[in-house]
Amino acid sequence: MADDNSPVEKISTRRQFLGAAGMTGAMLAVGHKAAVAAETAAAPVNPDVLPPHVADWSKSLGPGVADFPYGKPSKFEAHVVRRDVEWLTASRQSSVNFTPWHDLDGIITPNGLCFERHHGGAAEIDPNEHRLMIHGLVERPLIFAMSDILRMPRVNRVFFLECAANSGMEWRGAQLNGCQFTHGMIHNVMYTGVPLRVLLEEAGVKPTAKWLLVEGGDAAGMNRSLPLEKALDDCLLAFKMNGEALRPEQGYPLRLVVPGWEGNIWIKWIRRIEVGDKPWFAREETSKYTDLMADGRARRFTFVMDAKSVITNPSPQAPLRFRGRNVLTGIAWSGRGKITRVDVTLDGGRNWREARIDGPVFDRSVTRFYVDFDWQGEELLIQSRCHDETGYLQPTKNELRAIRGVNSIYHNNGIQTWLVRANGETENVEVS
């Protein structure tokens, strides 16, 4: 782990990396969106609407209560959306978009902003026609309708869901210019659902059972092997998130929730559970979602998401705009339990201070932290590192590479660095 007074050895910017990678044009297009957002936020104000004048919006009646039956955000928040990076994938049906964490606060992600990851596009399923089958090493193979599941005992739990590939593009150096793109494959919501244990006990799992094959109803037929012990411990079959029905892109009408484990195994549109005595070694756990180690061997079944944090403001899409009083904020999470502490540095790791954690701290949930600070236009190298209740400390990227090498994608929980320039513009860089 980094020492409190470790020297800044080398700073590499994303521009240096991109020049070597030959991808400058595509990436500058992503960075341009951040510049546009900053200009919009600093737009001049019409003095005729400011006190002591009466603003135009106070001179006429507004929309009535029936005009927007479901409600929608203010038109002035239209820029707060999920975004994708077109060149990342060959098609939009097997792709990903990203949660705009730099535009959010607190710990709960609004349902419409939860990132999406699809392997065959989002399935559109009539809940009246949806069925979940449990078979294999069970006493009673069963098929459940949604009406059956909705009559079972339910619980409410707040958990983060993080794709194993979150930050995966950053293994070799700074690339994507915005925490939305480097850390946006995670969201945090309250799930309502039935413990998976309830359905498995109704089917009667045989003593020789050790694993489950969980399969989705999407065009990709997404499937993964899940240890029975985890399934019986804390997994849920969720039908609601943040109080409303799951969105289609999040697995409507039913998805698997696997607290603290990589998002790929949280099967959406779940339709089948086969009980067996060994893992299936499916595509998503052999050719994909394995960790290539420094010695060339691949590590399978890295289920748990280790402790990780990122500063969301300031960041490339949320530059510093004012000198003087400012608020730094970010999020931290761990798949092994609760976050107990977050440290922040403004000088690239020479000095660290403990951040203020505010809001609820749940087990395997996103936690919000803040640092109030004064800024007079000096350049900053800002980082955060988190601790969880097991004593685990978030590593630097070089500490990760010492074990995992540089040819990896998944489970990158290394410390992120943002460079704040004298004009407030902020860039993705790396201190190594």
Side-chain angles (χ1 to χ4, degrees):
M1 302 301 134
D3 296 326
D4 284 358
N5 296 301
S6 59
V8 177
E9 298 173 351
K10 179 182 178 183
I11 301 171
S12 56
T13 70
R14 72 184 185 93
R15 289 194 179 94
Q16 292 169 331
F17 180 85
L18 292 171
M23 296 189 292
T24 307
M27 294 311 306
L28 288 180
V30 174
H32 177 67
K33 294 178 181 177
V36 170
E39 290 165 4
T40 302
V45 176
N46 177 7
D48 293 338
V49 303
L50 299 179
H53 304 290
V54 176
D56 292 343
W57 53 80
S58 297
K59 299 176 182 176
S60 60
L61 296 175
V65 295
D67 286 24
F68 307 107
Y70 199 84
K72 59 181 183 179
S74 163
K75 64 180 182 181
F76 301 105
E77 299 296 319
H79 59 285
V80 183
V81 293
R82 296 179 288 217
R83 290 188 172 88
D84 67 344
V85 179
E86 274 188 60
W87 55 264
L88 272 182
T89 55
S91 84
R92 294 289 178 84
Q93 283 71 39
S94 181
S95 190
V96 63
N97 59 27
F98 304 89
T99 299
W101 280 104
H102 61 290
D103 281 315
L104 304 179
D105 215 315
I107 67 167
I108 297 297
T109 314
N111 291 350
L113 296 178
C114 291
F115 83 97
E116 303 169 59
R117 173 73 172 105
H118 306 318
H119 296 255
E124 192 78 41
I125 298 176
D126 181 343
N128 293 320
E129 298 175 351
H130 188 66
R131 299 291 184 272
L132 171 64
M133 178 171 69
I134 298 180
H135 66 120
L137 294 177
V138 295
E139 300 294 339
R140 295 171 294 282
L142 296 172
I143 294 178
F144 298 90
M146 284 302 298
S147 57
D148 299 323
I149 293 171
L150 293 174
R151 289 182 289 116
M152 293 180 173
R154 66 185 65 177
V155 297
N156 295 292
R157 299 285 187 272
V158 177
F159 294 123
F160 75 81
L161 189 170
E162 182 182 19
C163 177
N166 199 21
S167 313
M169 292 293 291
E170 306 289 308
W171 263 105
R172 294 190 178 189
Q175 282 209 62
L176 300 174
N177 212 25
C179 68
Q180 179 170 18
F181 304 109
T182 60
H183 291 73
M185 284 195 275
I186 178 174
H187 54 69
N188 198 65
V189 307
M190 175 175 280
Y191 293 99
T192 303
V194 177
L196 180 53
R197 167 191 289 272
V198 173
L199 278 73
L200 291 173
E201 288 177 347
E202 191 156 327
V205 176
K206 292 185 177 179
T208 55
K210 300 293 183 186
W211 287 79
L212 308 180
L213 181 72
V214 288
E215 180 181 85
D218 56 329
M222 268 293 297
N223 58 18
R224 288 290 306 263
S225 301
L226 173 69
L228 178 62
E229 183 179 8
K230 176 70 172 176
L232 294 174
D233 180 29
D234 56 7
C235 291
L236 305 178
L237 290 166
F239 43 82
K240 294 198 174 182
M241 51 193 287
N242 293 335
E244 70 171 18
L246 297 174
R247 299 285 175 102
E249 67 269 27
Q250 301 300 336
Y252 180 86
L254 193 65
R255 80 169 308 163
L256 182 63
V257 170
V258 189
W261 286 22
E262 62 183 8
N264 181 254
I265 203 169
W266 296 44
I267 296 296
K268 296 187 282 191
W269 315 286
I270 187 167
R271 67 180 177 191
R272 187 169 76 92
I273 298 174
E274 182 176 352
V275 182
D277 58 0
K278 57 183 178 301
W280 275 256
F281 299 111
R283 173 184 180 277
E284 300 295 330
E285 54 208 35
T286 51
S287 72
K288 304 293 181 184
Y289 295 94
T290 57
D291 296 327
L292 189 61
M293 308 299 284
D295 62 4
R297 291 183 298 169
R299 182 173 65 185
R300 290 181 299 204
F301 300 130
T302 307
F303 290 126
V304 177
M305 303 305 293
D306 284 322
K308 186 173 176 180
S309 68
V310 64
I311 294 170
T312 59
N313 305 72
S315 61
Q317 294 166 288
L320 279 180
R321 296 179 51 226
F322 303 102
R323 297 192 178 197
R325 176 184 292 181
N326 277 282
V327 177
L328 177 153
T329 187
I331 53 173
W333 61 95
S334 172
R336 301 184 189 278
K338 295 178 181 176
I339 292 294
T340 55
R341 171 175 168 166
V342 180
D343 301 321
V344 168
T345 176
L346 303 181
D347 56 13
R350 288 191 175 93
N351 298 283
W352 293 87
R353 68 181 76 178
E354 185 172 352
R356 173 170 55 89
I357 291 176
D358 195 81
V361 178
F362 295 125
D363 182 11
R364 292 165 293 180
S365 163
V366 160
T367 299
R368 174 66 64 172
F369 65 87
Y370 299 94
V371 170
D372 305 305
F373 72 107
D374 186 80
W375 180 63
Q376 297 301 332
E378 65 275 24
E379 284 199 346
L380 306 175
L381 283 168
I382 56 176
Q383 302 173 327
S384 63
R385 64 182 186 191
C386 63
H387 311 239
D388 71 18
E389 63 182 349
T390 69
Y392 182 92
L393 173 62
Q394 182 181 358
T396 66
K397 290 183 179 177
N398 273 352
E399 287 168 338
L400 268 185
R401 291 176 186 131
I403 300 171
R404 303 273 304 280
V406 295
N407 294 313
S408 197
I409 297 175
Y410 306 109
H411 303 102
N412 178 2
N413 67 324
I415 292 174
Q416 172 67 47
T417 308
W418 305 125
L419 167 63
V420 180
R421 299 189 184 280
N423 63 0
E425 290 182 358
T426 303
E427 184 177 359
N428 182 10
V429 301
E430 183 170 315
V431 175
S432 59

